[in-house]
């Protein structure tokens, strides 16, 4: 955002090129940001700077070409056109709200693969009946079933096939049970909004040493005391107990996102911000809405991690809106 802001203010080619190149690096390193996100960002830029379309496209050529070449490489070597082979396993997690008896019924009738009964991201031994984990390519990172730490090596080439199968199962289940998919989306949004202190994978001794600070943070800053208004527990398909409760994040953050949608559709043009500030606010709204919507539609897990990406944008957006408010009051 810093580089694109510099481009809006100064109109220099180097800032434009570095900004789009940085987007390309993000696409190559963060699977949450699909190549379509890169193309959408470039398209938005051309709309915000219509007189500079040629330069924008020229600066986009190298990053887009690099991303495309890597996708083509994966298509040739691994038979999938994309940057990650995990989309299928991630999407399958969006079907975990479907009751197990319904799933078993579909498996018994051969409507879906028996793989559906195995949770995604399991070790190779559980997937031996569904993919070849034994043939060797001569490339260590693609052949090792387990890492030196005894943790599954998810870079093993057989996981490409596993993910494809999960993707096919997920599509069938989402079409057949859209209501359970929507329930999973709701759970994903809940996790997206929840404080990270609610979801600790590795509790450890350090967490115990700062327990007082965590309790204060959860109870008062985040409004955990509001859990007395609404709280419930549920058991997921694998017998794991989960607690759902209310806090201030569920008031504050939706208000921010709804505000972003309103400003993107109507409000920006009615502000007293100058052309560059409005363009910056457009880019901020785009990033916030992309992360909020896409990440919660295809992923169910540690969704609160995605929220961290856009928190700085939210504060920058607030600062710009405050600037507009002050301008109106002063003028």
């Amino acid at each position: 955002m810093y580089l694109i802001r510099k481009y809006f203010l100064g109109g220099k080619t180097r800032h434009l090129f570095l900004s789009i190149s940085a987007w390309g690096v993000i696409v190559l390193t963060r699977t949450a940001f699909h190549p379509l996100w890169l193309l959408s960002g470039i398209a938005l830029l051309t709309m915000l700077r219509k007189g500079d379309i040629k330069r924008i496209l020229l600066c986009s050529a190298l990053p887009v070409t690099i991303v495309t070449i890597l996708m083509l490489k994966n298509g040739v070597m691994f038979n999938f056109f994309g940057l990650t082979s995990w989309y299928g396993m991630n999407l399958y997690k969006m079907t975990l709200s479907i009751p197990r008896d319904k799933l078993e019924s579909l498996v018994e009738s051969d409507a879906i693969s028996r793989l559906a009964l195995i949770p995604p991201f399991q070790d190779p031994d559980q997937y031996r009946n569904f993919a070849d984990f034994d043939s060797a390519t001569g490339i260590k990172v693609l052949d090792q079933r387990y890492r030196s730490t005894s943790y599954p090596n998810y870079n093993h080439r057989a996981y490409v096939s596993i993910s494809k199968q999960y993707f096919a199962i997920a599509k069938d289940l989402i079409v057949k049970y859209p209501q359970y998919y929507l329930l999973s989306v709701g759970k994903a949004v809940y996790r997206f909004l929840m404080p990270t202190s609610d979801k600790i994978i590795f509790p450890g001794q350090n967490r115990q040493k700062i327990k007082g600070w965590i309790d204060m943070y959860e109870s008062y800053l985040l409004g955990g005391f509001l859990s007395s208004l609404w709280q419930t527990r549920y058991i997921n398909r694998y017998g794991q107990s989960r607690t759902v409760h209310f806090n201030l994040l569920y008031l504050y953050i939706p208000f921010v996102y709804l505000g972003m949608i309103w400003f993107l559709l109507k409000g920006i043009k009615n502000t007293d911000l100058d052309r560059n500030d409005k363009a910056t606010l457009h880019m901020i709204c785009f990033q916030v809405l992309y992360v909020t919507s896409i990440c919660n539609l295809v992923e169910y897990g540690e969704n609160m991690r995605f929220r961290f990406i856009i928190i700085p944008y939210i504060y920058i957006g607030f600062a710009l809106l405050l600037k507009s408010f002050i301008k109106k009051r002063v003028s």
Side-chain angles (χ1 to χ4, degrees), residues 259-270 282 285 289:
M260 290 289 180
I261 294 173
W262 185 83
F263 275 102
L264 190 62
L265 297 178
K266 182 179 178 182
I268 292 177
K269 64 177 67 175
N270 296 329
H282 270 100
C285 289
L289 295 177

Side-chain angles (χ1 to χ4, degrees), residues 30 38 43 87 152 191 230 293:
R30 295 296 302 269
L38 173 62
Y87 277 133
R191 290 196 172 195
W230 181 77
S293 56

Side-chain angles (χ1 to χ4, degrees), residues 227-263:
S227 61
S228 59
L229 298 179
W230 181 77
Q231 178 171 303
T232 188
R233 296 179 71 84
Y234 69 93
I235 306 297
N236 68 13
R237 183 191 297 169
Y238 303 106
Q240 298 168 320
S241 178
R242 294 289 184 262
T243 300
V244 179
H245 62 86
F246 191 69
N247 62 50
L248 289 176
L249 281 174
Y250 299 95
L251 294 176
Y252 166 70
I253 294 181
F255 173 77
V256 170
Y257 297 145
L258 290 174
M260 290 289 180
I261 294 173
W262 185 83
F263 275 102

